[in-house]
Amino acid sequence: MAGDVFGSRGSEHRACTRNGVSITASVREHGGGRQQVEVVDLSQAGFRMRAGSFIAPDRITFLTLPGYNPLEARIAWHENEYYGCEFVQRLHAAVYDDIVRRYPSLNVRS
């Protein structure tokens, strides 16, 4: 599925295309509590989310999207309330396509 690369952080090193999405999901740190987040872009290798509470880089988290099993991911970076996360195991192409189809971005570009 075609998409755009969002932002400049690490884009020159990405092997997978990122698509804008709008998903209210939850993240749980390994051994910690759960918090609601907004996933704003997604690739087979990872995602970018907006979270209200700090999560330290390199922490292992579990992302739960509505209708899917939890996905294990590592916090790769954060800037203000945004976090870049890398899946421990890449998403299968069919799962990725289904998520992007079900949760398109609400952003309108001019």
Side-chain angles (χ1 to χ4, degrees):
M1 178 171 247
D4 298 321
V5 174
F6 287 80
S8 60
R9 187 174 193 110
S11 62
E12 65 276 4
H13 302 294
R14 289 196 181 121
C16 298
T17 301
R18 287 191 174 260
N19 278 84
V21 293
S22 181
I23 308 170
T24 299
S26 65
V27 165
R28 180 179 59 81
E29 287 186 67
H30 185 70
R34 184 177 304 271
Q35 69 170 297
Q36 185 171 314
V37 299
E38 180 186 3
V39 178
V40 297
D41 68 40
L42 180 75
S43 76
Q44 285 181 260
F47 60 97
R48 183 167 49 114
M49 68 177 179
R50 187 172 69 212
S53 298
F54 177 76
I55 305 171
D58 290 323
R59 292 285 300 195
I60 296 297
T61 63
F62 297 89
L63 173 70
T64 302
L65 303 171
Y68 294 92
N69 289 328
L71 301 166
E72 189 174 2
R74 180 185 69 83
I75 303 294
W77 60 266
H78 85 84
E79 187 173 305
N80 300 317
E81 73 271 18
Y82 288 95
Y83 291 80
C85 306
E86 177 183 24
F87 290 124
V88 171
Q89 183 175 348
R90 284 188 177 203
L91 292 180
H92 186 278
V95 172
Y96 170 74
D97 287 345
D98 185 57
I99 294 170
V100 171
R101 180 186 55 78
R102 290 172 71 180
Y103 300 101
S105 176
L106 301 177
N107 294 335
V108 177
R109 295 176 186 243
S110 52

